[in-house]
């Protein structure tokens, strides 16, 4: 019993010594087997051929990134918790790698050189999505056992995965990101994300505006007022599409008047453009006046520019309305644009006869109604019919016509009135005299009207 007891203690002491020696070797290599998984990320390749694995200190990484020169020493913490300081002279190469790649390196070094062992490691690589390492391990399995069917079957998939990963890495190196199955630039992704976020916000407003619009026709007065109050409180540009559908496109004038009262609460250029649109295109004079009067005074420069652009509109009515509004705004700088709009050319469609039409020559035969001709052919009128065709012998078919585009020059009296208001001059529709006068004002040879400023 005593010898058996001594033998047991001797074996325990030997196992402890082996474990301690193994731990010392692992620590010397910068490896820690703490817990169930390895937490490796970086390693240093030494000039003597050794490798120190672990994690660089965060402060050291930041210092190295900000510094233009290489550090004099490296601090790397092994996963056993030991902090090693190694002179840069002893370091051949510094390798920054993902944790899993380092973990694979440790596992590969400890894997027996058998097909089954490498197959197990290959499966681990596949699960961790280490595709190049997965392919390498499968190739190793086939070298050790060419008849390993499972490895041969998966090798093609591994090769495809590697090429796909290489493609992904190449695109990322070019600054591209994957978005919905295709690669785009970061800027494009930001724009698409912004559009998607804007769409989501607008969806919320679609539901709200639809509900409040329904309240406007409720049989209860309190609900109708509730709908007006809710809509009047809107101040988000994201609600504009819903407001256009449920208020602007309604036939009732009151809906569009309500829209003209809501839009000033929305601080955006889109809301201003919507007011300008109402002031020019709406059929109701009251809506047009309300929209114009609600334009923000602090955006007058922007507003004036928009009305000047409409002087070139294809519809003559819009040109005339724009001139009337510019006269109300009273900015003399728009005079050159009004001169250009004194006489505008617009395209109209007119109906004209088609030339070179041909007609049959000679007296036409009797015209038989289709139902009579059918009865004659089927024998329903055995005694025949008498047709009086005396009144239709000279009837000619109506001439064929077609629509053609015709350009017409229109003298715009509203534009002339605006010029008179702004300049106190009257050269009628003589564009040359208007331009000569304005050139004299611009060159300082003629004064501006006393009630105008440039």
């Amino acid at each position: 019993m005593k010898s058996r007891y001594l033998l047991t203690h001797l074996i325990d002491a030997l196992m402890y010594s082996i474990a301690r020696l193994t731990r010392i070797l692992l620590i010397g290599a910068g490896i820690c087997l703490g817990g169930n998984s390895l937490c490796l990320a970086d390693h240093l390749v030494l000039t003597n051929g050794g490798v120190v694995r672990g994690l660089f200190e965060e402060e050291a990484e930041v210092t190295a990134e900000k510094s233009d020169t290489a550090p004099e020493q490296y601090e790397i913490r092994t996963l056993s918790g030991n902090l090693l300081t190694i002179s840069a002279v002893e370091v051949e190469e510094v390798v920054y790698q993902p944790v899993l790649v380092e973990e694979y390196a440790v596992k590969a070094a400890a894997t027996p050189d058998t097909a089954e062992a490498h197959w197990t490691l290959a499966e681990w690589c596949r699960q961790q999505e280490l595709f190049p390492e997965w392919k390498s391990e499968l190739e190793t399995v086939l070298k050790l056992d060419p008849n390993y069917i499972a490895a041969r079957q998966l090798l093609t998939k591994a090769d495809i995965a590697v090429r796909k990963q290489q493609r992904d890495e190449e695109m990322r190196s070019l600054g591209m990101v994957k978005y919905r199955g295709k690669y785009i630039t970061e800027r494009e992704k930001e724009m698409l994300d912004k559009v998607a976020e804007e769409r989501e916000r607008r969806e919320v407003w679609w539901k709200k505006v639809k509900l409040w619009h329904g309240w406007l026709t409720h049989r209860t007065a309190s609900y109708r007022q509730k709908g007006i109050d809710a809509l009047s409180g809107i101040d988000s540009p994201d609600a504009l599409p819903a407001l256009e559908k449920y208020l602007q496109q309604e036939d009732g004038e009151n809906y569009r008047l309500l829209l003209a009262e809501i839009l000033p609460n929305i601080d955006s250029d889109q809301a201003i453009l919507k007011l300008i649109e109402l002031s020019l295109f709406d059929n109701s004079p009251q809506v047009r006046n309300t929209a114009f009067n609600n334009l923000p005074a602090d955006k007058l420069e922007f507003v004036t520019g928009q009305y000047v652009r409409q002087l070139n509109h294809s519809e003559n009515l819009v040109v005339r309305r724009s001139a009337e509004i510019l006269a109300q705004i009273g900015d003399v700088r728009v005079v050159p644009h009004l001169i250009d709009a004194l006489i505008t050319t617009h395209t109209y469609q007119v109906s004209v006869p088609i030339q070179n039409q041909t007609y049959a020559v000679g007296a036409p035969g009797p015209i038989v109604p289709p139902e009579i001709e059918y009865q004659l052919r089927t024998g329903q009128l055995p005694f025949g019919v008498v047709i009086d065709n005396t009144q239709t012998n000279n009837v000619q078919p109506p001439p064929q016509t077609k629509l053609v585009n015709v350009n017409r020059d229109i003298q715009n009296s509203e534009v002339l009135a605006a010029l008179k208001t702004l300049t106190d001059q009257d050269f009628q529709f003589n564009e040359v005299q208007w331009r000569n006068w304005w050139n004299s004002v611009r060159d300082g040879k003629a004064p501006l009207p006393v009630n105008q400023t440039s």
Side-chain angles (χ1 to χ4, degrees), residues 74-303:
Y74 294 92
E75 291 184 345
I76 186 169
R77 186 174 297 278
T78 65
L79 298 174
S80 62
N82 296 324
L83 181 62
L84 302 180
T85 301
I86 301 175
S87 173
V89 179
E90 303 176 15
V91 177
E92 179 73 21
E93 183 182 3
V94 181
V95 179
Y96 297 91
Q97 292 191 123
V99 174
L100 290 174
V101 175
E102 289 291 336
E103 188 172 350
Y104 165 75
V106 176
K107 286 180 176 291
T111 299
D113 201 20
T114 63
E116 287 297 332
H118 282 281
W119 169 260
T120 302
L121 183 56
E123 281 296 292
W124 179 86
C125 293
R126 180 184 64 81
Q127 295 169 1
Q128 306 303 323
E129 297 185 356
L130 298 175
F131 298 123
E133 290 78 7
W134 179 32
K135 179 183 176 183
S136 176
E137 289 299 324
L138 290 175
E139 291 172 344
T140 303
V141 171
L142 291 173
K143 287 180 181 179
L144 296 172
D145 185 0
N147 297 322
Y148 208 113
I149 298 176
R152 190 172 300 281
Q153 291 174 340
L154 289 180
L155 186 58
T156 302
K157 293 183 178 181
D159 184 59
I160 294 174
V162 169
R163 284 189 278 112
K164 182 176 180 297
Q165 190 178 61
Q166 290 173 346
R167 165 71 173 170
D168 293 344
E169 292 174 355
E170 178 184 357
M171 297 305 291
R172 284 195 293 268
S173 68
L174 297 175
M176 310 291 281
V177 294
K178 202 166 189 178
Y179 186 85
R180 295 183 178 178
K182 64 179 182 179
Y183 281 96
I184 58 176
T185 63
E186 286 279 2
R187 177 60 178 164
E188 289 175 320
K189 183 178 182 300
E190 291 176 2
M191 292 177 62
L192 289 173
D193 289 340
K194 183 178 180 180
V195 170
E197 292 174 1
E198 183 177 343
R199 187 184 299 113
E200 291 178 1
R201 295 194 303 268
R202 287 184 175 182
E203 284 295 327
V204 175
W205 280 109
W206 275 104
K207 297 177 182 178
K208 291 182 178 179
V209 174
K210 182 179 180 180
L211 174 64
W212 298 337
H213 171 266
W215 289 352
L216 296 178
T217 56
H218 199 276
R219 64 179 182 273
T220 307
S222 60
Y223 262 92
R224 294 196 294 271
Q225 186 60 46
K226 186 178 179 182
I228 294 174
D229 295 340
L231 290 168
S232 300
I234 293 176
D235 60 359
S236 172
D238 298 322
L240 286 173
L243 289 173
E244 179 180 359
K245 175 178 174 58
Y246 290 108
L247 295 182
Q248 185 177 358
Q249 296 179 8
E250 287 283 357
D251 293 333
E253 181 183 85
N254 290 335
Y255 290 102
R256 303 193 301 280
L257 283 172
L258 177 59
L259 176 62
E261 297 293 344
I262 295 171
L263 290 173
N265 301 330
I266 302 175
D267 185 15
S268 73
D269 290 346
Q270 290 79 5
I272 297 175
L273 292 174
K274 185 62 65 177
L275 282 170
I276 293 174
E277 180 183 340
L278 288 174
S279 70
L280 290 175
F281 295 93
D282 200 275
N283 294 327
S284 167
Q286 186 177 359
V287 173
R288 294 200 302 271
N289 292 333
T290 302
F292 171 70
N293 293 330
N294 285 341
L295 286 167
D298 58 338
K299 299 286 186 178
L300 194 58
E301 192 85 13
F302 174 76
V303 168

Side-chain angles (χ1 to χ4, degrees), residues 275-418:
L275 282 170
I276 293 174
E277 180 183 340
L278 288 174
S279 70
L280 290 175
F281 295 93
D282 200 275
N283 294 327
S284 167
Q286 186 177 359
V287 173
R288 294 200 302 271
N289 292 333
T290 302
F292 171 70
N293 293 330
N294 285 341
L295 286 167
D298 58 338
K299 299 286 186 178
L300 194 58
E301 192 85 13
F302 174 76
V303 168
T304 303
Q306 296 303 316
Y307 283 115
V308 167
R309 290 180 59 188
Q310 299 305 319
L311 292 174
N312 298 317
H313 200 276
S314 59
E315 294 186 22
N316 183 253
L317 180 61
V318 176
V319 175
R320 303 201 315 265
R321 287 176 178 174
S322 299
E324 289 176 339
I325 291 176
L326 288 171
Q328 295 182 57
I329 293 176
D331 191 337
V332 74
R333 291 176 296 178
V334 305
V335 166
H337 304 285
L338 289 171
I339 295 174
D340 292 337
L342 267 173
I343 302 174
T344 54
T345 303
H346 301 275
T347 302
Y348 301 90
Q349 282 192 335
V350 296
S351 178
V352 299
I354 298 176
Q355 300 297 324
N356 301 324
Q357 298 186 53
T358 59
Y359 300 94
V361 179
I367 300 175
V368 181
E371 63 274 10
I372 301 300
E373 183 179 1
Y374 174 77
Q375 292 177 0
L376 286 171
R377 290 179 179 273
T378 56
Q380 299 181 40
L381 300 173
F383 301 105
V385 295
V386 177
I387 300 175
D388 184 7
N389 201 37
T390 58
Q391 302 299 322
T392 60
N393 286 337
N394 297 324
V395 175
Q396 295 291 339
Q400 298 179 352
T401 62
K402 64 179 179 180
L403 292 175
V404 297
N405 292 331
V406 177
N407 292 330
R408 292 179 179 174
D409 291 338
I410 307 296
Q411 292 182 341
N412 300 308
S413 57
E414 291 83 358
V415 176
L416 179 59

